Amino acid sequence: MSASPSVNLADVQAAAARLQGLAVHTPLIESPALNERLGGRVFLKPETLQRAGAFKFRGAYNRLSQLSEDERKRGVVAFSSGNHAQGVALAARLVGCPALIVMPSDAPAVKVEATRGYGAEIRLYDRFTEDRIAIAQEIADQRGCVVVPSYDDPRIIAGQGTVGLEIVDQARALGVELDRVLSPVGGGGLVAGVSTAVKGLSPATQVWGAEPAGFDETRRSLESGQRETIDPDARSFCDALLTPVPGELTWAINSQTLSGIVAVTDAEVAEAMRYAFATLKLVVEPGGCVALTAALTGKIDLKGRTAAIILSGGNVDPDVFTQVLRGEI
Amino acid sequence: MSASPSVNLADVQAAAARLQGLAVHTPLIESPALNERLGGRVFLKPETLQRAGAFKFRGAYNRLSQLSEDERKRGVVAFSSGNHAQGVALAARLVGCPALIVMPSDAPAVKVEATRGYGAEIRLYDRFTEDRIAIAQEIADQRGCVVVPSYDDPRIIAGQGTVGLEIVDQARALGVELDRVLSPVGGGGLVAGVSTAVKGLSPATQVWGAEPAGFDETRRSLESGQRETIDPDARSFCDALLTPVPGELTWAINSQTLSGIVAVTDAEVAEAMRYAFATLKLVVEPGGCVALTAALTGKIDLKGRTAAIILSGGNVDPDVFTQVLRGEI
């Protein structure tokens, strides 16, 4: 047996209590057309409908609501391609604390604008030549403020896990025990929290992940048994999932809890986004759509199964969405 | 007092029982960003998530499930710009009956394709020179089949009313009594059913409608006290709401139940569709978005109020959606 994990079911339940009335209790929705297409009973958990358009608010608020009075005054710094940025900026506004967000200069414009809109200060950096962790740490040292990691933190993981708690509860309210839960995987915070909650409440439910091809470091790590890094030349339009290596804490959990991970290509993701638009009537961003993509392509088989698929975010630039609708991606 | 209406609360409740397990019980969702923008507590009822992408399946199935064995064998004929077409085609497939749908030749391609996809036979006509009622009646006479009107039928109205039943029930489950319910208005079937249900369960709740400018025949009828017709030169991209005159049955109800109707322009609707995309992450078709438009423009004031807004459909061609995202409409 490995050492006890950094996050357990009780931590996720405590996070749910903190988020009560603040995070949106996103619905568990069912599409007969999707059921027919996949040959199973498949629920969607649209975190696209969460505050700031992605699940990230859950972890950010769970972390920031536990700052000391003194820490809150000094403020927080975070680095993020955009969804964590918005989550932290919004959570900071709610708890009344200054936030500085380090964002890649190629982050989607909607994400940068939204983050600024919540009142955060923005510092752009070059994702290919600069080290965002070093930048954030330097700012933290200068200002004496707390760094809020986007996934490798027990309180962040616990907050994201509330998605899994709700999925199991909402399915049970419908009389359904789930065979599988499918989640996008970036740094692994969402799926680590979700799998902690799901396995805690329903040990027989399998948790599966999906990653963009080229950024399938957790998939390869599961194969090799150790944390693998990406090829620095890899590119994907799934901007929310471009992490170089699994987190330490998230890997310690995910290596124990996940049944498997599959990789999906940008073209497959774009096709799934068109399906979400045309049939589900949902706006899903590329990274938010990888688990649905895994199901639609059959890479994760849901035939004859009951399952829930997490749509983790919907923050997509209108021009990228237009390119997807036109079949240019 | 006017004569007793053709539809009452019990009819809507009976329709709900027929639809149980067949129609999607669409969620009542809440967006803190929308609440903040409007200064009230505002729920959305996304019938975009309904089977076939609009509320129309409810009325169509309620009607078709009450066909006699003999009628079911002979089949049904309907005329529709698209959403009723899909609703009837899907309901016909479920009850096992042939369906022929008379659709305008300028109906959105996605709607024509989807209707065909459910197995219906399609007959296109020119909306400006041909009379769709006459065409449908001629086919009905030739084949001896039942005409399924898109709104002016008690069983259609009762089926659409289940949207209102769910809104009141879902709001009460959250401990909320609604001040206002806002609905798109075309022929008036949805709002007639919804207002019957809402007024029956919660008499103090006001029901308001929204129509496209130029196709605001029910708004003008409420003003004059008699059924008004549209200017034949009027144009709007709200294809689902291009009705020439209020229905007889729907007018008899709506003239008694509605607190008011406002008209919104295509440009205002396009802006609301962009808001739904960017902030709500929902795909809403032009006609489905008019009630939200009325709220966002302040034409129906929700400040300090609790309200529910019906998003009645999401069947929009990708190229129209692209034009909206680009600000070309």
Side-chain angles (χ1 to χ4, degrees):
Chain A
M1 277 302 292
S2 58
S4 46
S6 58
V7 181
N8 59 36
L9 177 60
D11 297 321
V12 181
Q13 288 165 328
R18 284 184 205 102
L19 289 168
Q20 182 66 34
L22 285 167
V24 173
H25 197 92
T26 54
L28 196 65
I29 60 180
E30 188 173 6
S31 158
L34 181 63
N35 284 347
E36 197 172 312
R37 159 94 182 243
L38 297 178
R41 186 168 186 195
V42 180
F43 299 91
L44 299 169
K45 180 70 170 170
E47 282 295 298
T48 54
L49 307 181
Q50 188 51 260
R51 293 183 88 144
F55 70 95
K56 291 283 191 179
F57 172 73
R58 296 173 183 264
Y61 186 84
N62 189 48
R63 177 69 191 90
L64 267 62
S65 64
Q66 296 180 71
L67 290 173
S68 70
E69 183 59 33
D70 190 49
E71 287 171 329
R72 191 157 66 233
K73 277 183 192 149
R74 286 202 300 271
V76 293
V77 59
F79 43 89
S80 159
S81 66
N83 285 334
H84 178 59
Q86 291 178 68
V88 170
L90 173 58
R93 198 184 70 177
L94 291 179
V95 304
C97 118
L100 185 149
I101 316 286
V102 182
M103 300 183 76
S105 49
D106 61 349
V110 288
K111 294 184 175 178
V112 178
E113 286 316 306
T115 305
R116 196 171 275 130
Y118 293 121
E121 188 181 343
I122 310 284
R123 159 82 155 80
L124 296 176
Y125 77 101
D126 184 323
R127 201 157 54 79
F128 302 107
T129 61
E130 294 186 272
D131 178 354
R132 62 185 189 171
I133 301 181
I135 296 171
Q137 195 54 58
E138 193 185 317
I139 294 168
D141 291 345
Q142 285 167 359
R143 304 190 179 190
C145 60
V146 171
V147 177
V148 182
S150 57
Y151 48 87
D152 225 15
D153 176 297
R155 285 162 289 198
I156 296 289
I157 295 170
Q160 322 303 28
T162 59
V163 174
L165 217 55
E166 291 177 14
I167 288 174
V168 174
D169 286 349
Q170 290 169 315
R172 285 184 176 165
L174 297 168
V176 173
E177 290 294 319
L178 295 166
D179 299 321
R180 295 186 165 188
V181 172
L182 277 57
S183 173
V185 178
L190 174 63
V191 78
V194 164
S195 62
T196 298
V198 169
K199 290 292 187 182
L201 293 171
S202 174
T205 302
Q206 292 187 342
V207 180
W208 288 73
E211 289 184 307
F215 290 86
D216 51 345
E217 70 288 348
T218 303
R219 187 192 67 74
R220 291 192 296 106
S221 302
L222 282 180
E223 252 178 35
S224 72
Q226 59 184 27
R227 289 163 73 214
E228 301 286 344
T229 55
I230 58 148
D231 177 338
D233 293 332
R235 295 290 181 273
S236 165
F237 86 138
C238 297
D239 60 274
L241 307 180
L242 307 186
T243 35
V245 60
E248 283 184 46
L249 300 180
T250 56
W251 169 246
I253 295 171
N254 293 331
S255 58
Q256 302 300 314
T257 54
L258 299 192
S259 292
I261 295 187
V262 303
V264 294
T265 67
D266 280 4
E268 290 167 339
V269 172
E271 183 65 31
M273 288 174 69
R274 286 188 287 272
Y275 180 85
F277 167 83
T279 301
L280 306 174
K281 316 301 180 189
L282 296 174
V283 177
V284 190
E285 67 178 280
C289 209
V290 294
L292 176 63
T293 307
L296 289 173
T297 55
K299 290 182 179 183
I300 298 178
D301 186 15
L302 299 183
K303 202 165 205 159
R305 295 196 166 98
T306 58
I309 299 174
I310 299 170
L311 305 174
S312 54
N315 295 316
V316 51
D317 265 339
D319 56 349
V320 171
F321 202 75
T322 294
Q323 286 173 50
V324 168
L325 288 186
R326 293 181 156 195
E328 294 165 5
I329 296 176
Chain B
M1 276 304 291
S2 59
S4 41
S6 57
V7 181
N8 59 36
L9 178 59
D11 296 323
V12 181
Q13 287 165 330
R18 285 184 204 101
L19 290 168
Q20 182 63 37
L22 285 167
V24 173
H25 196 92
T26 54
L28 195 65
I29 59 180
E30 189 173 7
S31 157
L34 181 62
N35 284 346
E36 197 171 313
R37 160 94 182 244
L38 297 178
R41 187 167 185 196
V42 180
F43 299 91
L44 298 169
K45 180 69 172 172
E47 282 295 298
T48 53
L49 307 180
Q50 187 51 264
R51 291 185 89 144
F55 69 96
K56 291 285 193 178
F57 172 72
R58 297 173 183 262
Y61 186 83
N62 189 48
R63 176 68 191 91
L64 267 62
S65 64
Q66 295 180 71
L67 291 172
S68 71
E69 183 60 34
D70 191 48
E71 287 172 330
R72 192 159 65 234
K73 278 184 191 147
R74 286 201 300 269
V76 293
V77 58
F79 43 90
S80 159
S81 66
N83 284 335
H84 178 58
Q86 291 178 68
V88 170
L90 174 57
R93 197 184 74 178
L94 291 178
V95 305
C97 119
L100 186 148
I101 316 285
V102 181
M103 299 183 78
S105 49
D106 62 348
V110 287
K111 293 184 175 178
V112 178
E113 286 316 305
T115 305
R116 196 171 273 131
Y118 292 122
E121 189 181 343
I122 310 284
R123 159 82 156 78
L124 296 177
Y125 76 101
D126 185 321
R127 201 158 53 80
F128 301 107
T129 62
E130 293 186 273
D131 177 355
R132 64 185 187 171
I133 302 181
I135 296 171
Q137 196 53 59
E138 191 186 317
I139 294 167
D141 291 345
Q142 284 166 1
R143 304 189 179 188
C145 60
V146 171
V147 177
V148 182
S150 57
Y151 48 86
D152 225 14
D153 177 298
R155 285 163 290 198
I156 297 288
I157 295 170
Q160 322 304 29
T162 59
V163 174
L165 218 56
E166 292 176 14
I167 288 174
V168 174
D169 286 349
Q170 291 169 316
R172 286 186 174 163
L174 297 168
V176 173
E177 291 294 318
L178 296 165
D179 298 320
R180 296 187 164 187
V181 172
L182 277 56
S183 173
V185 178
L190 173 63
V191 79
V194 164
S195 60
T196 298
V198 169
K199 289 293 185 182
L201 293 171
S202 175
T205 302
Q206 293 188 341
V207 181
W208 287 73
E211 290 185 306
F215 291 86
D216 50 347
E217 69 289 348
T218 303
R219 187 191 66 73
R220 290 193 296 108
S221 303
L222 282 180
E223 253 178 34
S224 73
Q226 59 184 25
R227 291 162 72 213
E228 301 286 343
T229 55
I230 59 149
D231 177 338
D233 293 334
R235 296 290 182 273
S236 166
F237 86 138
C238 297
D239 61 272
L241 305 181
L242 308 186
T243 34
V245 61
E248 283 183 46
L249 300 180
T250 54
W251 169 247
I253 295 170
N254 293 332
S255 58
Q256 302 299 315
T257 55
L258 299 193
S259 293
I261 295 187
V262 303
V264 294
T265 67
D266 280 5
E268 290 168 340
V269 171
E271 184 64 30
M273 288 174 69
R274 286 189 285 273
Y275 180 86
F277 167 84
T279 302
L280 306 175
K281 316 301 180 189
L282 296 173
V283 177
V284 190
E285 67 179 278
C289 209
V290 293
L292 177 63
T293 307
L296 289 173
T297 55
K299 291 182 178 183
I300 298 177
D301 186 15
L302 299 183
K303 203 163 205 160
R305 296 197 166 97
T306 59
I309 298 174
I310 300 171
L311 305 174
S312 53
N315 295 317
V316 51
D317 266 339
D319 55 351
V320 171
F321 202 76
T322 294
Q323 285 173 50
V324 168
L325 289 186
R326 293 182 157 197
E328 294 165 4
I329 296 176

